[in-house]
Amino acid sequence: MWTLGIDPSPTATGIVVALDGEPVEGWCVPVTQVAQVLELVRERTVGGDLGAACIEDPGRYHLTKQARVAATACEREVKRLWGRKIPIYKPRPQTWRKAVLGTGKAGKRGATIFAEINGWPQVLNTNDHNVLEAACLARYAYDEELVRG
């Protein structure tokens, strides 16, 4: 199953497409380029067969309104390209980190270590923490879909 993980940010949005929970390709772009990257993902990799997406929810108490605007823009583009039928998970950072990393207190470094253990920086050709967190979010979407059955 194809899944998409998005770590939204106004300046450095991480995007990863994964197959069966394993990252295949990733990008780090400003939110203004998210639409172009997602169109590329649809054309080149996933087509219409996206099983689920996961977009980190910055929460209403996030320090910047721009992070919430970026998350909303990412969700809008996913719905535009794949329709409203696919599940879109929007976990808070603590929620997905606990599910994927084993602890909600792991932080960005925890996601990087988890990705390194799984060899994801070599697959994605980057150590950018935004991309590696997006890979964890794609894994979260895959795991949630397995639970949903």
Side-chain angles (χ1 to χ4, degrees):
M1 170 196 335
W2 289 103
T3 56
L4 187 64
I6 302 176
D7 182 23
S9 163
T11 56
T13 296
I15 301 172
V16 167
V17 62
L19 181 60
D20 297 335
E22 295 298 318
V24 174
E25 199 164 1
W27 301 263
C28 186
V29 297
V31 75
T32 55
Q33 294 178 8
V34 166
Q36 294 93 328
V37 171
L38 292 179
E39 286 176 15
L40 180 71
V41 167
R42 183 173 168 87
E43 291 169 12
R44 238 175 45 186
T45 312
V46 177
D49 296 331
L50 185 64
C54 184
I55 303 168
E56 184 181 77
D57 178 3
R60 62 182 178 192
Y61 300 112
H62 195 275
L63 295 176
T64 64
K65 179 182 175 186
Q66 291 89 350
R68 292 188 301 278
V69 169
T72 301
C74 292
E75 182 177 359
R76 183 177 54 248
E77 287 303 316
V78 169
K79 287 179 179 176
R80 182 179 69 81
L81 290 167
W82 286 281
R84 299 183 183 280
K85 293 180 182 175
I86 68 154
I88 299 177
Y89 297 96
K90 297 182 278 188
R92 302 282 304 276
Q94 304 89 320
T95 302
W96 72 257
R97 287 178 180 150
K98 184 172 185 183
V100 175
L101 308 177
T103 176
K105 299 177 183 180
K108 291 187 181 298
R109 183 71 186 130
T112 301
I113 291 169
F114 181 81
E116 288 171 352
I117 289 169
N118 286 286
W120 294 351
Q122 292 77 20
V123 172
L124 296 169
N125 199 29
T126 185
N127 281 316
D128 183 280
H129 73 84
N130 298 297
V131 175
L132 298 178
E133 284 201 346
C136 291
L137 290 160
R139 168 68 65 88
Y140 180 88
Y142 177 73
D143 291 348
E144 288 297 304
E145 284 299 290
L146 288 180
V147 170
R148 255 179 66 172

